[in-house]
Amino acid sequence: MNVYLEVDGKPVPASELTWAHFSPCGCQCGVLVAQSGNFLVPDEESAWKEFYESAAIRKREKARGYTFKLMHHPDAVIALGGKCPHTPQWGVPDESAPEGFAWGKRSKAKKLHLIPFTGDTKRSNFATAPGGYDDRITAKCGESQWSFEVDSWMTSEFLKCEACVTAKEAS
Ligand SMILES: [Zn+2]
Ligand SMILES: [Zn+2]
């Protein structure tokens, strides 16, 4: 598939290009190849959709100032070190869960709550109350449920409860 995309006003084969993703602070935080076989990311909006499955997350990150820029492959990896010297890092508030906590959600819900959890969210899918069905896990905001989904890959696609974020900052 021979497709050309425009870089600096000139047509360039898509197979030679990468969508570089930039954080609000200006640091590069990711890459996405523009073409790989039949896989093609022809424009910025498509890059957003490939990068973020959730429309709510796309909306939030656009509002925060994240951007994509089409670059030649070699240029797109120069600044890609996974490091950011800014405060806050990546130009966005630190919403990572503090020690002993994790972001989790009820099974059909769309919002994440900050709940007490000591396991590994890369390995565990669920946090369940120690006392079983009659027991409850209570989030920082007061929301309670016997079980929360905590899988870190899944939770990256959901927005965080503002009351829990505020409670985290206050503690
Ligand atoms: Zn930065
Ligand atoms: Zn909450």
Side-chain angles (χ1 to χ4, degrees), residues 17-169:
L17 298 171
T18 292
W19 286 100
H21 195 26
F22 292 90
S23 292
C25 61
C27 290
Q28 191 183 340
C29 57
V31 284
L32 180 67
V33 289
Q35 188 193 2
S36 175
N38 288 325
F39 173 80
L40 177 71
V41 185
D43 51 38
E44 189 173 341
E45 197 47 41
S46 306
W48 275 103
K49 287 188 178 148
E50 280 299 327
F51 222 87
Y52 302 98
E53 209 176 305
S54 152
I57 298 276
R58 286 201 293 275
K59 195 174 161 202
R60 183 191 67 186
E61 304 303 51
K62 282 179 190 178
R64 281 174 163 178
Y66 279 87
T67 56
F68 280 94
K69 191 175 175 231
L70 198 54
M71 300 170 98
H72 288 88
H73 288 323
D75 299 336
V77 293
I78 293 169
L80 190 70
K83 289 199 188 86
C84 164
H86 301 103
T87 306
Q89 217 173 26
W90 305 111
V92 294
D94 175 19
E95 290 181 348
S96 59
E99 187 72 31
F101 285 85
W103 288 102
K105 68 175 198 68
R106 298 158 87 150
S107 63
K108 297 241 165 63
K110 296 223 149 72
K111 272 226 161 104
L112 300 170
H113 298 280
L114 197 56
I115 58 160
F117 184 69
T118 51
D120 182 351
T121 56
K122 289 194 181 74
R123 291 165 185 269
S124 310
N125 295 323
F126 295 97
T128 51
Y133 289 105
D134 294 334
D135 199 5
R136 290 281 177 274
I137 293 173
T138 305
K140 282 259 189 199
C141 67
E143 182 91 15
S144 72
Q145 178 80 4
W146 82 273
S147 149
F148 283 86
E149 297 179 14
V150 293
D151 177 292
S152 62
W153 184 80
M154 177 278 300
T155 54
S156 66
E157 286 290 317
F158 294 91
L159 295 176
K160 296 177 174 81
C161 159
E162 276 166 29
C164 278
V165 170
T166 308
K168 180 206 156 185
E169 280 159 7

